Amino acid sequence: YFANEYNNTYDAIHTNGASIYRVTSQREFEGTLTRYGLAPMPVGNIVSRTMPDVSHSTRMYYSNANFKLEDDVFGANLRYVDPDFFSMFSFDFVAGSPAGLKDPTSVYLSVEVAERLFHSAGDALGKTVSMVYGGSLKELKVAGVFQDPPMNSSFYFKNGSSYVNFDNHKDEFPYVAEDDWKSVVTLFVQIDDASRVAKVHEQLLPLVERNNEAREDFKLKDLLLEQLPGMAIRDRLESTQAWTFVAPPQSAVLGSAVMGVLMLLLACV
């Protein structure tokens, strides 16, 4: 029961979940199809500028940066995302407004990260923290604090998470160009009219050809549109490479649930 409930409610917190799709790369090698939860970097801009059936879209790129507050350095679990990110996905804000994501000097922290930095989520709003990458520092202002997503969420990160405007990735990775087909990114799109999903997929097919012209080493067969509900479960079953949180094996979920019940029973003895 616990394992089924965990799987059945994966990413269920997102109000727009049924209309959100990940653009997933598919390759064929020796007759075997393999999915990758990543898309060529240029696809994001092309989609947002030329496909009117896509109401919102967001890229997500990883970061190796840490946070620095005075003399202390903290893990950031930072991701670069586009301004549509908080409009597409449901996050429970305890302070601030998601509108500030348009500002490249703003940062959004989960409660766990905010408490680690400032001891209190409420005290974090408006405070500044340094983003550390390589030997460089960038000052950011906390524009919002949100509840940490549950473990059955594609945006769950152990020890908390944080987000900044996508354009900031250029500071940490100046060699990653947005028109470089050799770079990849997680890309989510929102298509409110389900009858138009096939049309959007059709519009993605010429981009497969453009990728293959640019990349002899990573030719694609297709760019799929994978609906958010069930995505993480499929990623687990097929061992898909992805930058989102992949659902853990059912055995791990069941084991944790059984352990919790046993501890509860022991406490009652």
Side-chain angles (χ1 to χ4, degrees):
Y1 170 81
F2 290 110
N4 287 335
E5 184 68 11
Y6 183 90
N7 283 344
N8 292 339
T9 59
Y10 213 100
D11 284 323
I13 62 172
H14 301 294
T15 303
N16 300 320
S19 61
I20 294 176
Y21 301 81
R22 183 183 65 192
V23 179
T24 296
S25 297
Q26 186 184 65
R27 300 187 69 202
E28 183 175 20
F29 182 71
E30 295 183 349
T32 300
L33 295 175
T34 303
R35 295 161 52 254
Y36 296 83
L38 303 166
M41 178 73 80
V43 175
N45 277 333
I46 295 172
V47 166
S48 64
R49 294 172 181 171
T50 66
M51 300 185 187
D53 289 314
V54 174
S55 61
H56 298 86
S57 65
T58 183
R59 296 162 294 179
M60 186 173 74
Y61 201 75
Y62 71 92
S63 171
N64 296 318
N66 291 314
F67 288 139
K68 187 174 187 292
L69 195 63
E70 297 180 350
D71 294 328
D72 296 320
V73 176
F74 304 84
N77 276 349
L78 185 69
R79 296 295 184 271
Y80 300 105
V81 293
D82 284 306
D84 277 352
F85 180 75
F86 288 127
S87 299
M88 296 172 65
F89 299 100
S90 302
F91 282 76
D92 183 10
F93 275 79
V94 299
S97 165
L101 188 55
K102 296 178 181 178
D103 183 352
T105 65
S106 294
V107 63
Y108 287 83
L109 310 176
S110 74
V111 167
E112 184 169 350
V113 174
E115 291 178 345
R116 191 160 64 244
L117 290 170
F118 302 105
H119 307 294
S120 166
D123 291 339
L125 191 65
K127 297 287 182 62
T128 58
V129 62
S130 295
M131 174 181 164
V132 184
Y133 47 92
S136 301
L137 295 175
K138 181 171 184 174
E139 293 296 314
L140 300 171
K141 184 177 181 179
V142 180
V145 180
F146 54 88
Q147 292 286 359
D148 288 83
M151 283 190 67
N152 61 343
S153 166
S154 291
F155 301 105
Y156 167 80
F157 294 98
K158 185 179 180 181
N159 301 321
S161 56
S162 56
Y163 297 95
V164 294
N165 184 287
F166 187 82
D167 285 344
N168 284 305
H169 87 280
K170 299 172 186 176
D171 296 324
E172 185 178 358
F173 304 104
Y175 51 85
V176 176
E178 293 187 41
D179 60 354
D180 182 5
W181 289 87
K182 293 184 179 180
S183 296
V184 293
V185 68
T186 300
L187 175 61
F188 289 101
V189 299
Q190 184 172 330
I191 306 170
D192 298 320
D193 184 350
S195 69
R196 302 299 294 174
V197 173
K199 180 63 177 179
V200 174
H201 177 245
E202 180 183 323
Q203 293 171 324
L204 288 172
L205 294 180
L207 304 184
V208 172
E209 297 178 12
R210 290 181 64 177
N211 173 86
N212 294 347
E213 290 171 0
R215 295 202 62 177
E216 286 288 336
D217 62 321
F218 199 81
K219 288 188 177 292
L220 301 181
K221 181 177 179 62
D222 203 349
L223 284 171
L224 308 173
L225 289 169
E226 289 200 272
Q227 199 172 34
L228 181 65
M231 179 191 77
I233 308 301
R234 292 190 296 272
D235 286 351
R236 180 192 69 205
L237 294 175
E238 298 184 23
S239 300
T240 303
Q241 179 184 342
W243 289 347
T244 46
F245 184 65
V246 177
Q250 279 193 331
S251 58
V253 178
L254 185 58
S256 298
V258 171
M259 183 63 68
V261 171
L262 290 175
M263 291 178 67
L264 182 63
L265 292 173
L266 289 173
C268 296
V269 174

